[in-house]
């Protein structure tokens, strides 16, 4: 397989750049020699995520709500729209903010990209497939989504963002790309954000029971954050409009994940079963044929190695208090 496509960027704007994936993107772009403007209202992003970047040449942090404004002074050649609450705990707490970010925020980011003649990348999600009746999911699958369920504020915001991005490209010729990110994990996640990996790791390190929802047979496909970032930047560098799945095609059940985390953490924690959330998908697995064929990209970090790195980071964070 060929190496992922690369491209030299002069100035990138990353909305939601203080978030989990966004902050890793900011660092990768800086490491590649680009100047980076991170725009984040810090409603779910953390200043700690970008604190190591503040003294680096070319990095600028702008605190702003992208649904209201995008105060960027320097013309970018790349706009990565990653602003949005992404965990259930966040988007259920901030439902209208989530929808505003996916609608008005996407429009503002698209306008900036178009006016600057920049490449635009929309961070969409595997949630657009809902509780899929097709497994694995390829980009031609339209999904099985409840438009008024508790998860709909996030699902529909992302689906609308995809439609808006497509309309902008067709109407104005904006250079756009849609990446559908599947479950991503790694250092920098919040222990209480409600997602499986940080929840299990936090519980295992504290010696608490690992809370597995339902019977634990539901599956997810976990992609280590470095691989996700490499896929995003490969898509940005390519002329591909997408959508394109960026994720790991290896499925794991939630019960197996919990047991693996316990083993890797050297924990004595047991599993405790709790009620499964409404509209929780039974399966989630990407078909990444398009990413492999067009971008030369596929994940390289296996689950055990990625989880070890993540556990080590959480353990170090706990030691720092």
């Amino acid at each position: 397989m060929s190496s992922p496509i690369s491209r030299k960027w002069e100035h990138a704007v990353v909305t939601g750049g203080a978030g989990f994936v966004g902050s890793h993107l900011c660092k990768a772009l800086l490491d590649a020699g680009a100047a980076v403007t991170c725009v984040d209202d810090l409603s779910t992003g953390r200043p700690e995520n970008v604190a190591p970047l503040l003294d680096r040449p070319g990095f600028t942090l702008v605190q702003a709500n992208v649904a209201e404004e995008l105060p960027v002074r320097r013309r970018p050649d790349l706009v990565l729209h990653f602003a949005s609450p992404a965990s259930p705990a966040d988007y259920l707490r901030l439902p209208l903010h989530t929808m505003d970010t996916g609608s008005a925020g996407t429009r503002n980011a698209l306008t900036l990209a178009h006016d600057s003649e920049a490449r635009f990348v929309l961070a969409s999600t595997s949630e657009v497939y809902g509780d899929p009746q097709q497994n694995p999911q390829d980009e031609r699958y339209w999904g099985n989504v409840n438009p008024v369920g508790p998860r709909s504020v996030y699902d529909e915001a992302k689906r609308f963002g995809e439609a808006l991005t497509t309309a902008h490209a067709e109407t104005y010729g904006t250079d756009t790309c849609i990446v559908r990110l599947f479950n991503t994990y790694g250092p920098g996640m919040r222990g209480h954000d409600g997602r499986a990996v940080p929840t299990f790791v936090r519980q295992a390190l504290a010696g608490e029971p690992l809370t597995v929802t339902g019977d634990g047979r539901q599956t997810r496909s976990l992609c280590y954050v470095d691989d996700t970032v490499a896929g995003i930047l490969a898509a940005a560098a390519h002329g591909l409009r997408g959508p394109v799945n960026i994720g790991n095609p290896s499925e794991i059940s939630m019960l197996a994940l919990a047991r693996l985390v316990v083993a890797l953490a050297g924990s004595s924690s047991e599993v405790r079963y709790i009620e499964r959330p409404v509209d929780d998908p039974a399966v989630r697995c990407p078909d990444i044929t398009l990413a492999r064929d067009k971008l030369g990209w596929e994940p390289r970090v296996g689950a055990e190695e990625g989880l070890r790195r993540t556990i080590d980071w959480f353990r170090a964070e706990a030691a720092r208090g």
Side-chain angles (χ1 to χ4, degrees):
M1 172 170 291
S2 61
S3 299
I5 297 164
S6 62
R7 178 173 164 182
K8 181 73 173 178
W9 304 103
E10 296 296 326
H11 175 218
V13 171
V14 183
T15 72
F20 167 50
V21 175
S23 59
H24 283 270
L25 267 174
C26 288
K27 181 180 183 302
L29 287 161
L30 286 169
D31 290 345
V36 176
T37 298
C38 165
V39 183
D40 203 301
D41 65 1
L42 302 180
S43 58
T44 60
R46 301 193 307 163
E48 299 93 325
N49 286 343
V50 292
L53 309 180
L54 293 176
D55 293 331
R56 293 188 58 169
F59 182 76
T60 303
L61 173 61
V62 177
Q63 187 171 348
N65 181 350
V66 298
E68 298 175 356
E69 59 176 344
L70 249 176
V72 176
R73 295 180 180 178
R74 179 180 172 186
R75 180 188 181 102
D77 55 355
L78 175 64
V79 176
L80 295 149
H81 183 42
F82 278 67
S84 177
S87 73
D90 288 333
Y91 60 69
L92 293 176
R93 176 173 57 89
L94 299 167
L96 296 179
H97 178 64
T98 300
M99 301 202 79
D100 287 343
T101 304
S103 53
T106 302
R107 183 66 180 267
N108 288 339
L110 280 162
T111 298
L112 173 64
H114 178 262
D115 291 348
S116 304
E117 298 182 334
R119 175 74 162 156
F120 175 87
V121 178
L122 173 71
S124 187
T125 171
S126 58
E127 294 292 337
V128 301
Y129 298 121
D131 187 6
Q133 296 175 337
Q134 170 184 306
N135 196 48
Q137 298 88 57
D138 64 35
E139 294 85 354
R140 295 167 297 179
Y141 178 54
W142 291 355
N144 176 41
V145 182
N146 179 359
V148 294
R151 304 170 71 100
S152 65
V153 294
Y154 182 63
D155 301 355
E156 297 302 332
K158 290 298 188 180
R159 287 162 70 94
F160 179 83
E162 288 197 13
L164 181 57
T165 298
T166 302
H168 215 277
E170 293 178 350
T171 302
Y172 298 117
T174 311
D175 183 13
T176 65
C177 178
I178 298 168
V179 291
R180 289 178 178 162
L181 307 185
F182 282 66
N183 300 83
T184 300
Y185 72 99
M189 301 189 86
R190 292 175 292 136
H192 290 275
D193 81 353
R195 286 178 277 198
V197 169
T199 299
F200 290 166
V201 171
R202 172 179 56 80
Q203 291 169 335
L205 292 179
E208 301 171 356
L210 273 65
T211 49
V212 172
T213 62
D215 59 12
R217 288 188 294 180
Q218 64 272 32
T219 68
R220 296 294 182 268
S221 300
L222 305 175
C223 193
Y224 189 66
V225 65
D226 289 357
D227 285 331
T228 296
V229 166
I232 293 163
L233 294 179
H238 195 280
L240 183 70
R241 182 185 289 187
V244 57
N245 290 335
I246 301 295
N248 194 317
S250 297
E251 275 182 283
I252 186 171
S253 74
M254 290 299 92
L255 180 57
L257 174 62
R259 289 172 173 165
L260 180 57
V261 168
V262 167
L264 293 174
S267 173
S268 59
S269 295
E270 298 180 350
V271 168
R272 179 164 62 89
Y273 296 95
I274 62 174
E275 185 177 358
R276 190 170 164 189
V278 176
D279 294 337
D280 183 47
V283 293
R284 183 59 52 77
C285 181
D287 181 329
I288 62 167
T289 302
L290 182 62
R292 282 194 179 112
D293 291 349
K294 297 294 185 182
L295 308 180
W297 173 88
E298 65 180 358
R300 297 181 177 182
V301 179
E304 289 197 14
E305 175 61 24
L307 287 169
R308 281 196 184 96
R309 296 181 193 178
T310 305
I311 291 166
D312 287 346
W313 182 85
F314 270 91
R315 186 176 277 125
E317 286 293 292
R320 284 194 289 267

